[in-house]
Amino acid sequence: MIKKEWIVWIALIIFLLVFFSCRKKKSETIPAENIGMIRSNKETMKKLEKYLDIPIYPGARLADIFTELRNNKIPEERMYTSVKLIIDDYDNVVKFYEKELNMKFDVTGTEDKKYYTLIFDKEDWEYEIYIGHDTYMNLPIYDITMREKED
């Protein structure tokens, strides 16, 4: 027979395993108002706009930048780049880019969940702007991807 002491120890171990596996990770506890704030000062956003060579939606905050360098920084030389930007409202971003770039987005989805995609070329680069529901930190975000055009 199993002694009561062993049952208590096994129950304690199971409790601790469940407790530690259910805890939120540190990155999940960052207040929403602080996400993207460290890297998203006006100087950083101007540098990003100059690097991408297209306008950035006013008030957007940089959430993430991915390049082949994988250092989460705006590169000095142009290369494949994917950027996530925190925004206030999807519809405002669509209106901004349609006005600034004088192009219309392709729209897919349903009335309550629309997805907007705009793909265009500028010099040797192809851009894709994707606007739609994104679950990154449960905030409204849009993506800009810049890649070299294929011949």
Side-chain angles (χ1 to χ4, degrees), residues 63 83-87 90 130-134 136-137 139-143:
V83 178
K84 285 191 179 295
L85 297 146
I86 300 169
I87 54 173
Y90 295 120
Y130 173 80
I131 303 168
H133 181 73
D134 191 324
Y136 185 87
M137 299 302 249
L139 295 170
I141 291 191
Y142 78 106
D143 299 312

Side-chain angles (χ1 to χ4, degrees), residues 1-14:
M1 288 195 132
I2 300 176
K3 293 184 178 181
K4 287 183 181 181
E5 294 172 353
W6 282 103
I7 294 173
V8 170
W9 279 107
I10 291 171
L12 179 61
I13 290 170
I14 291 171

